[in-house]
């Protein structure tokens, strides 16, 4: 995506405030010359040396003349910025292109260009542009990179004008800025079947009729263009007009992704923390399900979802799926810890019986929240939980990697409620955990004699 902003920076002149601004722009060299000239003038007056007085005046006047000439210079310079791309995954680079256009009729002097960027994106870029001819342009670029999600402002662009002697520098700021969105890392996932209904549109898609049986079929009146093979003769004889069978209505498979954002559920911070793994996992599952044609929803413990999301979530396998993925990623780019203590709001958001697959990324759980999740399982047709023991994530890799005693008990309670539970160790690959969830789900289905889920 390309974004650009363009403004003009022009020297002001002619008032007392402008003179003070020009004098404030004196560099260390200019202030030194001014101080040396004043000292020489004082010494010349005390000693009665006229030659020394002329030298002092020259030293003092030179920085003042440079400041005045620089301030009255009427450069008209337009600047623009373009991000390529403007949305990048964490850990990836984006290139920022800057273009300066001299829109005045006179060439510029030496220009120093500086763009303001947040500290997390790297050092502040600075460029020195040589003389730009009238109507000419200069283009420079730099790279930014962040390991942390978020939305980062770039700008405003600053232009520093300097005289040939380096006595004075003046700064002109442009008013526009752009935003770089750093989204979570998305890991490609293999196509597995975590429940008997994990299908998008295709041969295995769910279908429903108006009612279940042929005898209970509710036909409708014939419309011009209907296939005569769909005529329902029994209803036609009953109603005295041509009636046709209703078409089967495809139902899109649904998937809801629950992201636990409670601050009390996670310890640690940074790109390698348990919370960032959970956010990246949620982003990966949402993207994967959209690509497979699912209608997806993003839920959090606060019950909030993505702005603009419909009641059935975002539909995949459509022209709007790319826009939906962008909205989901933008939401996850800025998601942060919540002050909540429970999952009751998320429970209220889960529809009973028609939720489809529920994938949850959970932090530390207590007994009360485990009970809420057990009830939530009854409202979905398939449920997979990725449990992240934040205490284990804070331990060194050489330490014990298994779940804590409390974490093991919570896993057992969720499994008894029908969840497919995967305890995620520190630094685990989401692809491996996704396959592990598929194997565990298949094992549960085989053990219960239910329909296979492999």
């Amino acid at each position: 995506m390309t974004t650009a902003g363009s403004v003009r920076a022009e020297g002001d002149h002619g008032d007392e405030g402008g003179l003070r601004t020009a004098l404030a722009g004196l560099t260390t060299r200019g202030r030194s010359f001014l101080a040396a000239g004043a000292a020489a003038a004082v010494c010349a007056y005390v000693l009665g040396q006229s030659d020394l007085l002329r030298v002092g005046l020259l030293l003092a006047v030179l920085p003042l003349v440079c400041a005045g000439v620089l301030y009255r210079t009427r450069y008209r310079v337009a600047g623009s910025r373009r991000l390529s791309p403007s949305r990048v995954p964490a850990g990836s680079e984006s290139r920022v292109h800057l273009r300066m256009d001299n829109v005045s009729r006179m060439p510029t002097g030496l220009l120093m260009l500086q763009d303001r960027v947040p500290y997390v994106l790297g050092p502040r870029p600075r460029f020195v542009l040589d003389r730009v001819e009238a109507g000419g342009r200069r283009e420079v670029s730099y790279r930014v990179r962040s390991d942390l999600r978020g939305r980062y402002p770039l700008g405003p662009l600053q232009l520093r004008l300097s005289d040939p002697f380096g006595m004075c520098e003046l700064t002109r700021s442009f008013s526009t800025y752009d935003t770089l969105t750093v989204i979570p890392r998305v890991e490609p996932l293999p196509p597995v079947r975590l429940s008997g209904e994990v299908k998008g549109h295709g041969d295995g898609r769910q279908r429903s009729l108006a009612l279940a049986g042929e005898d209970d079929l509710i036909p409708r009146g014939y419309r011009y263009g209907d296939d005569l093979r769909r005529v329902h003769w029994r209803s036609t004889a009953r109603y005295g007009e041509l009636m046709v069978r209703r078409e089967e209505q495809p139902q899109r498979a649904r998937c809801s992704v629950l992201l636990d954002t409670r601050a009390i559920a996670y310890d640690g911070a940074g790109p390698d923390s348990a919370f960032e793994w959970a956010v990246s996992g949620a982003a990966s599952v949402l993207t994967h399900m959209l690509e497979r044609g699912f209608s997806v929803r993003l839920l959090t413990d606060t019950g909030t979802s993505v702005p603009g999301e419909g009641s059935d979530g975002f539909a995949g396998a459509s022209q709007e799926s790319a826009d939906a993925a962008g909205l989901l990623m933008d939401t996850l780019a800025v998601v942060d810890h919540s002050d909540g203590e429970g999952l009751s709001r998320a429970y209220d958001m889960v529809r009973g019986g028609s939720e489809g697959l529920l994938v949850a990324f959970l932090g530390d759980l207590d007994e009360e929240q485990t009970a809420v999740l057990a009830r939530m399982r009854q409202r979905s047709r398939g449920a997979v939980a990725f449990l992240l023991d934040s205490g284990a994530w804070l331990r060194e890799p050489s330490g014990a990697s298994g779940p804590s005693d409390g974490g093991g008990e919570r896993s057992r309670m969720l499994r008894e409620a029908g969840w497919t539970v995967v305890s995620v160790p520190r630094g685990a690959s989401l692809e491996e955990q996704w396959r592990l969830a598929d194997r565990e789900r298949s094992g549960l289905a085989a053990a219960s004699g239910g329909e296979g889920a492999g």
Side-chain angles (χ1 to χ4, degrees), residues 96 256 340 368:
V96 183
S256 294
E368 179 182 355

Side-chain angles (χ1 to χ4, degrees), residues 37 162 222 242 255 305 341 387 404 406 428 447:
S162 177
Y222 175 82
L242 204 58
C255 175
S305 56
E341 298 182 356
L387 292 184
S404 61

Side-chain angles (χ1 to χ4, degrees), residues 155-175:
L157 194 62
Q158 292 182 332
L159 192 64
R160 305 181 71 181
L161 310 177
S162 177
D163 67 279
F165 299 103
M167 299 289 181
C168 183
E169 289 183 356
L170 296 180
T171 301
R172 295 287 182 264
S173 294
F174 294 80
S175 60

Side-chain angles (χ1 to χ4, degrees), residues 441-453:
R441 177 70 181 178
S442 301
L444 289 175
S448 62
E451 187 176 338

Side-chain angles (χ1 to χ4, degrees), residues 184-209:
R185 295 186 183 93
V186 175
E187 187 172 344
L189 300 178
V192 299
R193 294 180 59 187
L194 294 175
S195 73
E197 298 170 303
V198 181
K199 316 175 189 70
H201 285 298
D203 296 336
R205 64 188 175 188
Q206 295 172 278
R207 294 178 178 270
S208 66
L209 292 170

Side-chain angles (χ1 to χ4, degrees), residues 194 377 383-386 414-415 418-422 436-438 440-441 444:
L194 294 175
R377 169 64 182 89
V384 180
F386 294 92
L414 290 178
R415 287 191 176 95
W419 283 81
T420 300
V421 181
V422 177
L436 178 59
D438 177 44
E440 290 203 7
R441 177 70 181 178
L444 289 175

Side-chain angles (χ1 to χ4, degrees), residues 241-313:
E241 60 176 319
L242 204 58
M243 306 293 291
V244 296
R245 294 187 299 270
R246 293 181 182 270
E247 291 181 332
E248 294 180 342
Q249 301 296 326
Q251 294 180 349
R252 187 181 299 276
R254 297 190 179 98
C255 175
S256 294
V257 176
L258 171 60
L259 175 62
D260 183 7
T261 64
R262 297 172 299 139
I264 60 175
Y266 299 93
D267 294 326
D272 296 327
S273 64
F275 180 66
E276 291 301 321
W277 194 97
V279 175
S280 177
S284 301
V285 172
L286 287 168
T287 302
H288 176 71
M289 291 302 184
L290 272 176
E291 291 174 350
R292 295 193 63 194
F294 278 67
S295 292
V296 299
R297 288 201 308 164
L298 173 63
L299 304 176
T300 66
D301 54 285
T302 61
T304 57
S305 56
V306 183
E309 184 181 70
S311 59
D312 292 333

